[in-house]
Amino acid sequence: MSLMLLLLLAFQAVAQEDSTDLAIEELKLQAVNDTAFALRTTNESGNLVKYSGPLPVRVNGNLQDISFTEGEARFSLPAKANLIQVSANIGSHTIARLYRLDSEAEHGVRHFPMWLSILPPLIAIILALIFREVLLALFAGIWVGGFVIYGLTVKSIFTGLLAVADTYLVSALTDSDHIAVILFSMMIGGMVAIISKNGGMAGVVNQLSRYARSARSTQLVTWALGIAIFFDDYANTLIVGNTMRPVTDKHRVSREKLAYIVDSTAAPVAAIAFVTTWVGAELGYIKDAATTLGIEEGAYSLFFHSLEYAYYPILTLVFMLMLILMNRDFGLMHKAEDRARTTGAVSNHRPDSRSDARQQQEMAEFDAVDPNRTRAFNALIPVLVVIFGTVIGLLYTGYNPDTWADASIGFFRKLSMTIGDSNSYTALIWASLSGVAVAIALTVSQRIMSLYETMESLVTGFKTMLPAMLILVLAWSLAQVTKELYTAEYLTSLFSGNVSPRFLPEITFFLAAIIAFSTGSSWGTMAILYPLMLPAAWFVSQQHGLSVEETMPIMYNVISVVLAGAVFGDHCSPISDTTILSSLASGCNHIDHVKTQLPYALTVALVANLVCTNLSSWGVHWLLVYLIGAALLWGIIKLFGKEIVEKPVLAEATR
């Protein structure tokens, strides 16, 4: 909150007085019927301000020019809405209001303070960090959201509680994309269980051990795999985490460090690579904004140029590599690594954790049935089927013959457009199901296990995924609550106003980070901010007399920082699905992962935004900016990092 306050103060410091203020301090809503509304401009005393003319107003997230006559305007919503959010920039200040339809209230609507919209995610995050019970924290956040949405009355306490299950959980479980993620995750969990029991995973561990001879080299292999599987962040986290966990355990690398490497290679790589499941959404938002603004440069070209300013994703990868090569860590991560090297406890056991006997029993379910038959190909073939199956599925579902017939488009551009137009969820389901089928076939055909035993292992793998799936479903439900309360729009309104175009990239980064942290969704953040900040950057630059040549670098920078801020906020948020999946795949306590990753993510973000983004905004060459950022990160590790003392490794991994 202190960071937000500082940004708001900075915002006010650069704000300019505007003659269009017109003493408008309030926008009062009146319901005409279920879909038609009247909006009135008033002063602080509630008296009508007779403003006539257009006024840009954001209604339920959609920006529109509403024409006022003598201080009153009419507008309609396409469908009945229980909550109506209205916000507008009036000169040097912002008005943001939230209303609920209520026939018993004055003017047919009841007013709510907009700050209530941040309560659900805020409560969920605070409770998760304090009590380390993510399920309870998410449930409480959804309940509080329902309490606000259904009227802030005694009745709404019970209505909101019931709505957690009958509205939000049901909604999360009826979304086809959500079901696809659940199926993919369950299939990966089942496949991992099978290739563990048939000795394939042990064979992979033996093979990787040739290159992973120490804790440092093991982390390097994990980092390299995280970059190699660049096409999808979900596939990256689940495959790399599950594959490398036995290897890192053997060399006493903490689960917290493994989860950090997995999480911080997945989204940054998927966000900036040319051929990923992210690029379609990114190009779509960029294209829509460019078309609206009349920018002739293509969306792919805009995205390509924005990579010069992708400081957070790229410096995150560089920072991680420096930590590994320098064999240094700081903060809570150093404590975790020191614990793992000194005691062999790769995970943080708590007093209330499961008994050792029960944990050993569960781990035994993943031990190879025949330790003498540890063949790496029994694991490598199913994993490669998932990897290449995903790529083939992306190409198949996104194939457009017109695109590939166009001779004016280069091969890599065609490839990127195809991946961008693909259905990534369908591709992931096909690939994971194929991986499971191949794993079963390999196991049964070699008579390592019977068909019955193999299917039992599959079900065991499904069971291991259940806790994470529950967290995911609750996180999606909370995201729906924040969407209905227009949390992101409110956070956006806090930063609205007049500002120098040179400061827009920096402010946009923190705005994206706050929205992604609060909602747990980097994709949702992009959907909100790209249509908002790209036009804002263009028009503010024009108002300050900048030429098109001077404006375009700012546009590239804003394109990049929306993505970078979204990834950063997603990294820090305990309610983010990718953060949850990273904890799951790495076998790490979720809150331990969040707390150890947070200082590292903040370090890179502060350097990337306060230093690199500022330097680039004032014209410093992007390559020099990267070198300065990398040098600063090296200095921070050298100054604050402590060397991890290597210990002799036991014959067997210590869990």
Side-chain angles (χ1 to χ4, degrees):
M1 294 304 292
S2 60
L3 177 59
M4 184 182 292
L5 181 59
L6 288 174
L7 286 173
L8 287 173
L9 290 174
F11 219 100
Q12 293 298 324
V14 297
Q16 301 175 351
E17 291 297 329
D18 195 318
S19 59
T20 61
D21 204 324
L22 298 172
I24 299 173
E25 297 291 343
E26 282 286 352
L27 290 173
K28 290 196 172 180
L29 190 71
Q30 181 175 350
V32 177
N33 54 48
D34 287 347
T35 58
F37 302 91
L39 198 60
R40 305 175 75 227
T41 55
T42 67
N43 57 22
E44 287 183 335
S45 303
N47 298 321
L48 185 69
V49 175
K50 296 184 178 182
Y51 170 71
S52 296
L55 186 66
V57 179
R58 186 171 291 274
V59 180
N60 285 1
N62 298 314
L63 187 64
Q64 52 186 292
D65 282 330
I66 295 180
S67 182
F68 285 80
T69 302
E70 293 293 313
E72 189 168 316
R74 297 290 180 98
F75 69 91
S76 298
L77 293 176
K80 181 178 179 180
N82 291 326
L83 293 175
I84 300 99
Q85 183 265 348
V86 177
S87 61
N89 298 330
I90 311 293
S92 59
H93 69 280
T94 300
I95 299 170
R97 301 290 180 263
L98 186 64
Y99 298 91
R100 175 178 172 81
L101 287 178
D102 188 343
S103 58
E104 298 179 0
E106 183 182 4
H107 303 309
V109 294
R110 188 182 299 278
H111 169 252
F112 292 99
M114 274 294 290
W115 62 264
L116 289 174
S117 65
I118 67 173
L119 278 184
L122 188 63
I123 287 174
I125 291 167
I126 291 174
L127 290 180
L129 294 175
I130 292 176
F131 297 107
R132 299 173 180 174
E133 287 290 342
V134 182
L135 291 174
L136 179 62
L138 290 171
F139 186 90
I142 302 167
W143 187 1
V144 170
F147 171 60
V148 175
I149 290 171
Y150 288 98
L152 291 171
T153 63
V154 174
K155 179 182 177 182
S156 66
I157 295 176
F158 302 99
T159 307
L161 174 62
L162 298 178
V164 173
D166 67 24
T167 301
Y168 299 109
L169 290 179
V170 169
S171 176
L173 288 170
T174 53
D175 185 286
S176 59
D177 291 344
H178 293 170
I179 293 297
V181 172
I182 291 174
L183 287 175
F184 170 69
S185 302
M186 298 287 280
M187 290 291 182
I188 291 293
M191 185 187 76
V192 168
I194 293 174
I195 63 180
S196 296
K197 291 293 287 184
N198 69 15
M201 191 65 76
V204 169
V205 170
N206 294 336
Q207 293 295 324
L208 288 176
S209 297
R210 299 178 182 180
Y211 306 98
R213 298 186 180 92
S214 65
R216 180 186 299 180
S217 57
T218 300
Q219 293 175 67
L220 274 175
V221 171
T222 307
W223 179 83
L225 278 177
I227 294 177
I229 305 177
F230 59 86
F231 50 84
D232 183 77
D233 53 334
Y234 286 164
N236 185 309
T237 55
L238 290 171
I239 292 173
V240 176
N242 281 301
T243 301
M244 292 305 300
R245 188 171 61 211
V247 185
T248 55
D249 282 358
K250 179 180 179 181
H251 291 281
R252 294 186 177 185
V253 176
S254 67
R255 296 281 178 85
E256 291 92 332
K257 189 64 173 291
L258 174 62
Y260 167 64
I261 297 174
V262 168
D263 198 0
S264 293
T265 52
V269 172
I272 61 177
F274 297 108
V275 182
T276 73
T277 54
W278 287 49
V279 74
E282 295 164 6
L283 293 179
Y285 298 135
I286 295 169
K287 180 182 179 181
D288 291 343
T291 302
T292 302
L293 298 172
I295 298 174
E296 295 182 357
E297 187 174 354
Y300 194 87
S301 177
L302 289 168
F303 171 71
F304 178 78
H305 283 99
S306 74
L307 296 181
E308 296 178 1
Y309 307 94
Y311 300 119
Y312 178 76
I314 292 176
L315 289 179
T316 293
L317 300 174
V318 173
F319 179 71
M320 203 181 319
L321 182 60
M322 287 179 178
L323 288 170
I324 296 170
L325 293 177
M326 296 170 70
N327 194 34
R328 289 173 177 263
D329 283 292
F330 57 84
L332 293 175
M333 189 69 79
H334 179 268
K335 292 181 179 179
E337 283 290 87
D338 186 63
R339 179 203 69 225
R341 300 289 203 285
T342 305
T343 68
V346 294
S347 60
N348 188 15
H349 291 273
R350 304 184 184 281
D352 58 347
S353 63
R354 295 168 301 184
S355 66
D356 289 339
R358 181 181 175 186
Q359 188 174 20
Q360 290 174 3
Q361 180 182 358
E362 291 185 357
M363 294 304 298
E365 294 178 350
F366 290 88
D367 289 340
V369 293
D370 186 354
N372 297 319
R373 300 177 68 182
T374 56
R375 300 165 179 171
F377 67 83
N378 283 333
L380 286 176
I381 293 177
V383 170
L384 289 174
V385 166
V386 173
I387 294 173
F388 288 105
T390 302
V391 174
I392 293 171
L394 293 173
L395 293 173
Y396 179 80
T397 58
Y399 178 76
N400 185 339
D402 294 334
T403 299
W404 288 91
D406 191 342
S408 64
I409 304 176
F411 173 78
F412 290 104
R413 176 73 185 278
K414 291 176 181 178
L415 189 62
S416 181
M417 291 172 65
T418 301
I419 298 294
D421 293 335
S422 66
N423 187 328
S424 59
Y425 297 106
T426 300
L428 290 172
I429 290 176
W430 290 349
S432 58
L433 180 59
S434 300
V436 168
V438 170
I440 293 173
L442 286 170
T443 304
V444 175
S445 64
Q446 298 174 66
R447 298 183 179 178
I448 299 173
M449 291 190 293
S450 67
L451 181 60
Y452 174 80
E453 292 171 329
T454 304
M455 297 308 295
E456 283 291 304
S457 297
L458 180 68
V459 173
T460 299
F462 290 165
K463 290 178 182 178
T464 63
M465 303 295 290
L466 184 58
M469 294 305 100
L470 290 174
I471 295 174
L472 270 180
V473 172
L474 287 169
W476 287 327
S477 302
L478 182 61
Q480 180 62 31
V481 169
T482 60
K483 182 179 179 181
E484 290 188 19
L485 285 172
Y486 305 100
T487 304
E489 282 78 3
Y490 171 62
L491 293 172
T492 302
S493 72
L494 292 178
F495 291 85
S496 299
N498 298 319
V499 63
S500 167
R502 304 294 182 187
F503 290 101
L504 272 177
E506 184 176 359
I507 292 172
T508 301
F509 179 91
F510 280 114
L511 181 57
I514 292 169
I515 293 173
F517 182 81
S518 302
T519 61
S521 172
S522 51
W523 281 48
T525 302
M526 289 189 291
I528 292 163
L529 287 188
Y530 271 131
L532 176 72
M533 297 310 298
L534 289 181
W538 178 267
F539 290 125
V540 169
S541 297
Q542 298 302 304
Q543 289 171 1
H544 281 73
L546 299 184
S547 65
V548 175
E549 290 74 18
E550 293 172 316
T551 300
M552 290 313 296
I554 296 175
M555 294 292 290
Y556 299 145
N557 209 336
V558 170
I559 289 172
S560 179
V561 295
V562 168
L563 184 62
V567 172
F568 164 62
D570 198 52
H571 274 166
C572 298
S573 177
I575 60 176
S576 162
D577 51 359
T578 48
T579 306
I580 294 166
L581 285 175
S582 298
S583 304
L584 162 75
S586 305
C588 177
N589 176 276
H590 181 54
I591 300 303
D592 287 342
H593 169 44
V594 173
K595 291 170 68 176
T596 51
Q597 178 169 259
L598 186 60
Y600 284 178
L602 282 171
T603 299
V604 179
L606 291 174
V607 171
N609 195 45
L610 295 182
V611 178
C612 297
T613 299
N614 264 325
L615 289 174
S616 62
S617 295
W618 292 98
V620 180
H621 193 274
W622 63 270
L623 185 57
L624 179 58
V625 173
Y626 273 113
L627 292 175
I628 293 172
L632 284 173
L633 291 175
W634 181 88
I636 290 172
I637 297 172
K638 195 71 175 177
L639 182 62
F640 297 103
K642 299 178 182 178
E643 191 170 355
I644 306 297
V645 179
E646 296 286 349
K647 299 288 184 179
V649 180
L650 300 178
E652 296 183 1
T654 304
R655 294 188 178 94

